[in-house]
Amino acid sequence: MSEKPLLPRSKYIMRHAGRNIQGRIVELQYDIDVNTLESRHATQLPLNHVGRIVLETSSPLFYDYYRDNRSGGAFILIDPLNNVTAGAGMLRPPHRDKVPEKEKEQLQTFVSSDERAETFGHGGKQIYVAGEDSELARSFAKQLERELHRLKAHTYGLDFKAEGVWGRSAREIVNASGLLAEAGLMSIAVLPGLPVLPRKAKGTYCIWLGNVVSAPETADRILPPAKANENTAFLLARTLYVEF
C-alpha cells in the first residue's frame, strides 16, 4: 500500500485491534500472481502486490484468524519513519505443509539413523546455501553437491525455484530437507535471497554467501561471493563429509 515495497527483515508498527505493537517481517514466503493465483518466489512486495509473510512481534498477540473473525484477524503495517500505511494483512493458520507434532510422532521407521549411516558411510545432513545473489547460491550449491557426490556421498539437491512440490516456499524446502536428512541423505537446499536460515541443530549446516553484516545469526559459514567457487566447494565438501 506504499511506493516503498515491503522487505524481509524490515521493521514496522503493527496496528491490530486498536493496539500498536512493534513488528518485523521475518520471511517473505511468496508473492501471488493475481491473474492466475499462483504463488511465486519474491524478494519484496511492491505496491498493490499480494503475498504471504511471516511476521514477528515484540510481544504476544491475542488474535483470531481472519476467516473466523475479520476484526480480530486483520491488521495494518505502518512505516515507523514516516507514519505511512505500508500494507494491510490477514492472519491465517500455519502453512499446511507444517506437520503437527502428533503426526510427526507417527512417522517412525524401523531403521535407525546409525544403521543408515553404516550403510551410506555418513549420516543425514541438512546443508543450506543462501545469499543476497540467488543465482550465485544456486551455482555454488550445485558445485557443492557435485563434490560431495564425487566422495560417494548420497545427496539430493532442493531448489526453491524448482517446479512441483519442492518449489513453493522456503518453509517447504526446509521441511523436505529435514525428511531427506532423516532418511540418511545429505540434502543441499538453495533458499531465497535474504532468508531466515533454520536454527542451528544437529546435522544442520548453513552457508551464507555475502558480507558479515547481512549474514543471519544462524549462518555456520560466511563466504564472500568471490570465494564461492569450485575450489571452495571442493574443500567444504570434504569437511562436511568427514564431520558426518
Side-chain angles (χ1 to χ4, degrees), residues 16 27 66 80 110 113 122 165 168 186 212 214 226 229:
H16 170 258
E27 179 185 355
Y66 186 81
F110 297 99
S113 57
H122 59 77
V165 70
R168 299 181 62 187
M186 284 190 174
V212 176
S214 63
N229 51 42

Side-chain angles (χ1 to χ4, degrees), residues 55-70:
L55 189 66
E56 181 180 76
T57 57
S58 58
S59 60
L61 284 180
F62 300 95
Y63 64 92
D64 298 302
Y65 294 131
Y66 186 81
R67 67 185 183 189
D68 301 322
N69 182 348
R70 292 191 175 186

